[in-house]
Amino acid sequence: KQEVTQIPAALSVPEGENLVLNCSFTDSAIYNLQWFRQDPGKGLTSLLLIQSSQREQTSGRLNASLDKSSGRSTLYIAASQPGDSATYLCAVSSYNTDKLIFGTGTRLQVFP
Amino acid sequence: ETGVTQTPRHLVMGMTNKKSLKCEQHLGHNAMYWYKQSAKKPLELMFVYNFKEQTENNSVPSRFSPECPNSSHLFLHLHTLQPEDSALYLCASSQRTEGPNQPQHFGDGTRLSIL
């Protein structure tokens, strides 16, 4: 049974810092991995999707890497801003299924 | 605006009530999903519909009854709920293709409280 773990559970940093969020999964037979952002009282916004054949994806200040064999992904946020404050979730899917297995998220606070 | 609209945003109901949650997507997608998000638990998939057909029921109790009349609308009918069913219910949609899974787009959810 696939399990997804995210550490740390919460993170508070000053504006401008570069930071890394971690995601690990127990079954390496994944189809893809997604990183989402969730603001309080809102739904999820997809940030990056990495196919199992890819090693990383970049979007603006965000870079996500995937090491399938070791069951790990990291989300790197460069030059953090207060607007980055949110909960970040990672989720994996298996082959031939739309079922996403989510981690419990990392709650990020970036203070001015 | 995510293209996925959920109503109502908040719902308070007693355990004996019957209510429905509604989801509508304006993205032309062919797959829709219901998720449950409880405090301090991972998001849980409840149901998946592809081309209006239910393809996944993740061992959800029968007091939750989904309905997908067309590929743009998804309902979740609720009856005789329990206090532990209080949670944020999220709807999502995606374009299911024969290739790699496409990203799922989420609505803002319905916050459900059971008295």
Side-chain angles (χ1 to χ4, degrees), chain B residues 8-99:
Chain B
R9 290 298 313 279
H10 303 273
L11 179 62
V12 179
M13 57 188 284
M15 289 192 284
T16 57
N17 291 156
K18 290 184 181 181
K19 296 285 185 183
S20 296
L21 311 185
K22 180 182 176 182
C23 177
E24 183 175 359
Q25 59 95 2
H26 308 277
L27 301 169
H29 290 164
N30 53 25
M32 297 187 77
Y33 314 78
W34 278 118
Y35 287 89
K36 177 183 178 182
Q37 188 174 34
S38 305
K40 301 190 178 177
K41 284 187 177 180
L43 215 68
E44 300 172 66
L45 179 68
M46 300 174 73
F47 301 103
V48 180
Y49 278 81
N50 286 307
F51 297 100
K52 303 186 301 176
E53 298 297 322
Q54 187 182 128
T55 56
E56 183 99 29
N57 177 337
N58 202 26
S59 302
V60 181
S62 60
R63 57 186 185 268
F64 294 92
S65 175
E67 178 190 1
C68 188
N70 55 61
S71 57
S72 299
H73 293 85
L74 185 65
F75 296 89
L76 188 62
H77 304 300
L78 316 171
H79 64 96
T80 324
L81 294 193
Q82 305 298 310
E84 62 265 27
D85 296 323
S86 297
L88 180 68
Y89 289 84
L90 291 164
C91 171
S93 70
S94 70
Q95 185 62 24
R96 184 149 171 80
T97 68
E98 293 194 7

Side-chain angles (χ1 to χ4, degrees), chain A residues 3 13-14 16 18 22 29 33 37 39-41 49 52 65 68 72-74 81-82 98-99 104:
Chain A
E3 291 184 4
V13 300
N18 301 323
N22 297 292
L33 182 145
R37 168 187 174 136
D39 293 286
L49 184 151
S52 60
S65 67
K68 205 173 78 160
R72 293 181 183 179
S73 176
T74 60
Q81 303 171 357
D98 296 316
K99 186 172 182 177
T104 48

Side-chain angles (χ1 to χ4, degrees), chain A residues 67-105:
Chain A
D67 184 344
K68 205 173 78 160
S69 60
S70 67
R72 293 181 183 179
S73 176
T74 60
L75 179 67
Y76 176 81
I77 303 177
S80 58
Q81 303 171 357
D84 295 330
S85 300
T87 297
Y88 290 82
L89 298 162
C90 80
V92 299
S93 69
S94 302
Y95 285 86
N96 297 323
T97 176
D98 296 316
K99 186 172 182 177
L100 289 175
I101 307 297
F102 282 84
T104 48

